[in-house]
Amino acid sequence: MTNDPGTQPGDVQIAPTADVDERATVRPGTRVWHLAQVREGASVGQNCIIGRGAYVGPGVRLGDNVKLQNYALVYEPAQLADGVFVGPAAVLTNDEYPRSVTPDGRLKSGDDWTAVGVVVGEGAAIGARAVCVAPVTIGRWALIAAGAVVTRDVPDFALMVGVPARRVGWVGRTGEPLVAKGDGQYVCPRTGAEYREDAGRLTELTRPG
């Protein structure tokens, strides 16, 4: 495991039972809990939490302030932006056409398939036991409900539920559903931030605070 130049070993907390490859990069303030695994070439940002039994595949990129809850599985080559939340036992896949063997019955090797990744935008949240089937992009601040199966790209601020996941509303930065004001206008009930919907996309007009 490597840190940024000039950081101190105590800046990163790794449980004795965790498995963090020497070729992974884990930045200051991050905590890696029991039985978690961070594979070679993975990059984990600052102040992240890698929960018990979570998996971060080779070359996966996690931004700052990312939370992977217990037993979340993030397979390469996924890319998660700052502030992303991945709930317990959620899975980000990487194989469009999964098979254990080739058509002639030979056990597949790494050369027999091409990994494709899930991209998750800033602040988005993926609920417990949800599955994101690569290749998909989850938009900024979107919310994927627990148990949903995402098979298509998700727009910013979308609230997605079901199997396959479908949009049932919009959420703000707090994760709470937005309230419709009419004429495509929405407001966050907690922060008062305002949004506009146009052609199935949501634009943030004002920022919280």
Side-chain angles (χ1 to χ4, degrees):
M1 182 197 72
T2 59
N3 297 327
D4 284 345
T7 62
Q8 300 299 315
D11 290 334
V12 175
Q13 300 178 43
I14 299 176
T17 57
D19 180 4
V20 179
D21 193 276
E22 293 180 352
R23 293 162 289 178
T25 299
V26 181
R27 294 181 175 82
T30 288
R31 289 173 284 175
V32 183
W33 290 97
H34 300 287
L35 304 176
Q37 184 177 15
V38 180
R39 293 283 302 276
E40 65 276 7
S43 175
V44 180
Q46 298 184 58
N47 303 317
C48 294
I49 296 175
I50 311 298
R52 177 186 175 93
Y55 176 81
V56 180
V60 166
R61 296 289 183 267
L62 306 183
D64 297 336
N65 303 311
V66 170
K67 289 186 177 183
L68 303 185
Q69 298 292 82
N70 294 356
Y71 300 103
L73 306 178
V74 180
Y75 290 100
E76 69 282 358
Q79 298 181 41
L80 280 60
D82 294 349
V84 167
F85 174 92
V86 182
V91 182
L92 277 58
T93 75
N94 68 349
D95 194 345
E96 286 185 277
Y97 309 107
R99 283 287 189 265
S100 176
V101 296
T102 62
D104 61 4
R106 176 177 51 83
L107 183 67
K108 273 189 171 184
S109 70
D111 296 328
D112 292 314
W113 67 288
T114 300
V116 290
V118 174
V119 177
V120 185
E122 177 191 8
I126 299 169
R129 293 193 178 276
V131 178
C132 298
V133 181
V136 293
T137 296
I138 310 298
R140 298 168 51 251
W141 302 101
L143 177 58
I144 311 301
V149 177
V150 178
T151 59
R152 297 181 179 179
D153 289 351
V154 173
D156 297 349
F157 301 104
L159 172 59
M160 307 290 292
V161 304
V163 181
R166 65 193 187 282
R167 189 182 68 78
V168 295
W170 302 107
V171 295
R173 290 176 179 248
T174 67
E176 296 186 26
L178 299 179
V179 176
K181 297 173 58 181
D183 296 326
Q185 305 293 312
Y186 290 82
V187 62
C188 175
R190 183 187 297 187
T191 68
E194 297 181 337
Y195 302 79
R196 176 186 295 121
E197 181 182 1
D198 183 35
R201 301 285 170 175
L202 200 72
T203 301
E204 192 174 33
L205 301 179
T206 61
R207 293 279 296 270

